[in-house]
């Protein structure tokens, strides 16, 4: 099997030529599409796009900021659509789409440990 010299940033396994891999435009790190839970069709489309950013870099690129709610404020998470409780301490707002998210629901939270 032919091997690409890099290893996947998530699983740390070798990336072979037959693997579908994505390279982050921001930091040039490489990922197996399957490790990112991206299906084959979507991954191939992303490979053809000029820019793709990994979940870890998204947090540096997309302007999220942490917010606090008053006790009487309620809002649904833009990702999971569940109510954001005033007792939860971690919630974030996106300056681009104005969406409000549980911090755990941000797309990079589960993959990036930074």
């Amino acid at each position: 099997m032919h091997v690409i010299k890099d290893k996947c940033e998530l699983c740390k396994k070798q990336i072979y030529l037959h693997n579908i891999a994505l390279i982050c435009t921001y930091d040039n790190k490489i990922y197996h599409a399957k490790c990112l839970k991206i299906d084959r069709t979507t991954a191939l489309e992303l490979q053809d796009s000029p820019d793709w950013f990994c979940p870890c870099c998204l947090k540096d690129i997309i302007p999220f900021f942490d917010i606090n709610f008053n006790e009487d404020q309620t809002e649904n998470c833009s990702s999971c659509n569940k109510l954001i409780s005033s007792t939860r301490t971690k919630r974030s707002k996106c300056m681009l789409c104005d969406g409000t998210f549980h911090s755990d629901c941000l797309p990079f939270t589960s993959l990036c440990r930074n």
Side-chain angles (χ1 to χ4, degrees):
M1 296 213 163
H2 292 94
V3 178
I4 297 174
K5 66 177 182 170
D6 295 316
K7 293 183 179 182
C8 174
E9 286 295 315
L10 290 178
C11 71
K12 305 299 184 202
K13 292 181 182 174
Q14 204 68 49
I15 295 179
Y16 295 93
L17 290 177
H18 70 274
N19 295 137
I20 298 173
L22 296 168
I23 300 172
C24 179
T25 306
Y26 193 72
D27 65 6
N28 290 316
K29 292 183 179 175
I30 190 166
Y31 298 83
H32 289 113
K34 67 180 182 179
C35 291
L36 294 167
K37 297 181 172 68
I38 298 174
D39 65 79
R40 178 182 175 80
T41 304
T42 304
L44 292 172
E45 288 173 10
L46 291 170
Q47 282 181 331
D48 289 338
S49 68
D51 291 315
W52 176 78
F53 302 102
C54 69
C56 294
C57 289
L58 278 177
K59 70 182 177 73
D60 295 330
I61 297 168
I62 298 177
F64 284 98
F65 60 95
D66 291 336
I67 57 173
N68 292 314
F69 283 145
N70 296 328
E71 292 208 19
D72 57 346
Q73 283 182 296
T74 59
E75 195 168 348
N76 285 359
C77 175
S78 298
S79 178
C80 71
N81 206 32
K82 293 180 182 173
L83 183 67
I84 299 175
S85 166
S86 61
T87 59
R88 286 185 81 153
T89 56
K90 294 280 223 161
R91 38 200 166 278
S92 298
K93 189 138 189 106
C94 176
M95 292 174 60
L96 296 178
C97 71
D98 204 38
T100 303
F101 301 84
H102 295 113
S103 291
D104 294 345
C105 290
L106 295 174
F108 44 77
T109 307
S110 62
L111 297 174
C112 190
R113 312 253 188 280
N114 299 356

